[in-house]
Each structure stands twice: as structure tokens, then as C-alpha cells.
Amino acid sequence: MVNWNEKALGKQDFVINDLKQLVSIPSVLDESLSTEDAPFGPEPKRALDWLLEEGRKAGFTVKNIDNMAGHIEMGEGDELLGILCHVDVVPAGSNWTYGPFEGTVKDGKLFGRGAIDDKGPTIAAWHAMKMVKEAGIPLNKRVRLIIGTDEESGFRCVRRYFEKEEMPTIGFAPDADFPIINAEKGISSLVFSQKTNTPDGQLLAFESGSRTNMVPDVAQAVIGIGYSEIKDRFESFLDRYDYGASTTGNENETTIRVNGKSAHAMEPNNGVNAAIVLVSFLNEIFTEGASKDFTQFLVDAFGNETRGRYLGLDFNDEISGDTTLNAGIVSYTPEEGGRVNVSMRYSVTYPFEEKVSNCNERLKDAPFELEVKSNSKPHHVDANDPFIKTLQDVYTTYTGEEAELLSIGGGTYARVLDKGVAFGMLFPGRDDVAHQADEYVYIEDLIKATAIYAAAISRLASDEEGES
């Protein structure tokens, strides 16, 4: 029997070095620099090219699909095991202690944007494939590491990939939590726009957030009110707010900047939405008109809870829990009025059309209207499927813990598979720092996950049993 733990420990230095190299590529979507050769910008393409070249050097079969995605493959057989990873990352954001693209190793952790989402898991899966190949395990399926470059911004990469390449028979995405996630919520992009806007001179500009899948950690507003008029209220606000705020201005206008705490949109309550904090303060100052309509709507719809009750979008089921709404991008200009881009995560049995209709009915007399920009339906694999049972057995063997099945509000590549789940690599009890400042991965966890993935590959794609 192969001792995958021992083999993974022997590869630790190589795993860390490869992750540092991949983290050093700032592979954030940049459509302003998009070309035919680099559809999502130069850095996501560079990350893809780097990993594919590693596959070539190691003697694997490699293919690039329109510089959007690619794969590294080994083995033989009619059936295909897919391991779906991504090398793009969300923007670094602010308030980092270590350089977000430096791959700093300290206190048993490797820090950097993508360390846990999803460059660390990608490197773990890649080295797991190499270990299985080096061990000479006879495979009865092909194993394919499928690499995307647009997971954080809409999955355009894997949509193109599966237009041209076959669907895996079974697959997993190492891009979430251990043990096993067999249910993923639906993800819908909603836009709330101000119906009419007559500038009233109170709110001159508002800006917060860059991605709907992140809780915005900074918000800024320019108001047509001198600081002396709001000084007492602002100082009172500072006394009860712990995340930091500042002002600059003169007798005629004031710029207010508020900090929050970033988090993944799957659970907005893990963060502090700077936009909502700032509009809550402004709502105490504004009296009427379009400015007041803007702040009041945001306070009503998103100020006290993130479950969509005010909008009639709330729902809950036993498989995947509550609806969540993240107001990720919030803006206002006197010319265009207010706009709120929201990521809604909803459960497996959510009555989508009914709920959207209910929301539109509630907004009839409101100053905002709703547009559904996109909708990715929920994903679910039956708990009794043999594929699930095998992964549960592998996880229990390598951790000694029960492999319970989970549901998440995040979206992984598992949802594009006919039969796929998310499988790690955030272990139970670890803080989820994806999309946050000072994102990190425990090196111990990185190596343990590499062993688990090697065992899973050998169990799912060969006749090997009982590796330890």
C-alpha cells in the first residue's frame, strides 16, 4: 500500500515553492487589457501558461483552450475523472500585513491572495497527480486537472472549455471546505437601480466595492454639506464604530471615507459592509429627495440583515439553508442616481421565479427597480452515490474524522459538472479567510490535502484499495 502522507511530506518544499511562484502572479481579471490572446487580461493568462508549462515539463498531456482554460492529463480509459481548479483571484483589496502577491511564509502559514482560494488547492491537486504518476499506480480512467481563469467573475472559462471538451464522468473541485460539499446554492446577480433621479445637492457621489462576490471594505461619499454642519454627528458615529472612518472638506462639501471588513459573499455576516455603514450614517443627515431615497432604500433593504426579508427574497431549506444577499457594488451619481449590484445565494429548493415576482411587487411603489442580470442554478449530488461514498472513505481514512456532507453558498466549478462535488481544502475548525486581507493557507493543511487528493485519485481512477 502507498503511504500518501509520507510521500506528500517528502514533496513539501516543492509544493511550497510552486505555490509561491503561482501566488506571485497577480492574476486578477482586467478586461481593460483584454485581447484575443488574453481574454481576461494578461495576468490570468500568465498563471494558466505557467501551470500548463509545469505539466509539459513533467511529461503530462497538456492542452490550452482559447487561453481561457486548459488541462493537464494522465492515464488511460474511456471514463474521465476531472479535478477542476482555478488560477484567477479576486483583487487584493487593502489592509494587508504582507504583500498580497509575495507568498510570504511565516508561523506555519503561506500568505498571499489565492493561498486558499484557489491557488493553494490547485497546487495540492497538481502535486497529488504527480505523486500518483510517480508511484506507478495503474489507472483505469483518465485523470484531468482542468484549470480555469475566470472563476471569480462568472465561469466564462469553463463554459468555453466544455463547449470544446468532454464532460468528466465524475469530478471534484478543491475550492471550498472539507469534508465534502454535495450541495451548492444558486447564485444570481441582481441590480437595483433608482427609478428617477432629481439631483438635490445633498449626495454628490458615492462609491463602494468592485466585485459582487466580496463584502466591500471601503466606501466613500462626497456630500454637499460642510463639515461644520455634520461634525457633532460624525464624532458621535466614530465613538460607536470600530473599523475606522475619516473626513476631508470645506464649508461647502465633505468627503467621508469609511472602512469595513471584507468577506466572501456566501456569508455577508462574516464581514462588515462599508457601504451599508456609510449610508446608515448619511441617512441620519439627509432629509428628502433622491439622496434620501438612495440611503433609505439601502438601509431598509440591506441595513439590518442579509437574508432578503425586506425585499421578499428570503427562503430556507434543510439542504442548503438561508438566502443571502451581498450588496457588493454600490454607487451614486447625480446624473445616473443610485445603483446596487447584489450577489444573491439561494437554496436548492428555492422558488426563484416566484420570489423574483414577489420582490418586483414589493418594489412597485419603491424608488428602486430590480433587474436579474444572471442566474446560476443550484447544484446537488445524492448523498448515497458511490462516488460520494468513496470520497467519504478517503477523507475518514486520512483524518480519522467523520466525513459529513455540507452545503455552501459559494459557487465552485463542481456546479458545471454532471456529477461533481467540492472536496476541500479548508479543514473543519480553520477560519475561512478567502477574499480577505492577509489570506493564507496552513502549510500543514496544504500537505495533508495533497495526500488526500492523491488517495482520492488512486481510489477513483484505479483498482487500488485502502491506501494509507
Side-chain angles (χ1 to χ4, degrees), residues 365-435:
D365 298 322
F368 278 72
E369 59 190 357
L370 167 65
E371 179 185 3
V372 178
K373 297 292 286 187
S374 66
N375 184 35
S376 176
K377 294 181 179 179
H379 176 74
H380 183 229
V381 178
D382 189 87
N384 294 315
D385 193 287
F387 167 53
I388 298 283
K389 297 298 186 183
T390 298
L391 291 180
Q392 286 181 306
D393 186 52
V394 167
Y395 181 82
T396 298
T397 298
Y398 278 79
T399 65
E401 299 171 359
E402 182 182 352
E404 64 176 312
L405 302 181
L406 307 173
S407 169
I408 60 167
T412 76
Y413 282 150
R415 68 175 53 234
V416 305
L417 296 170
D418 290 344
K419 185 183 287 189
V421 299
F423 188 44
M425 64 162 268
L426 186 69
F427 285 93
R430 298 299 201 193
D431 290 336
D432 185 357
V433 292
H435 296 198

Side-chain angles (χ1 to χ4, degrees), residues 4 29 36 55 93 119 213 216 230 270-271 306 310 388 390 417 421:
W4 295 116
L29 172 71
E36 186 174 343
K119 292 180 175 181
N213 62 355
I230 66 165
N270 288 339
T306 59
Y310 175 84
I388 298 283
T390 298
L417 296 170
V421 299

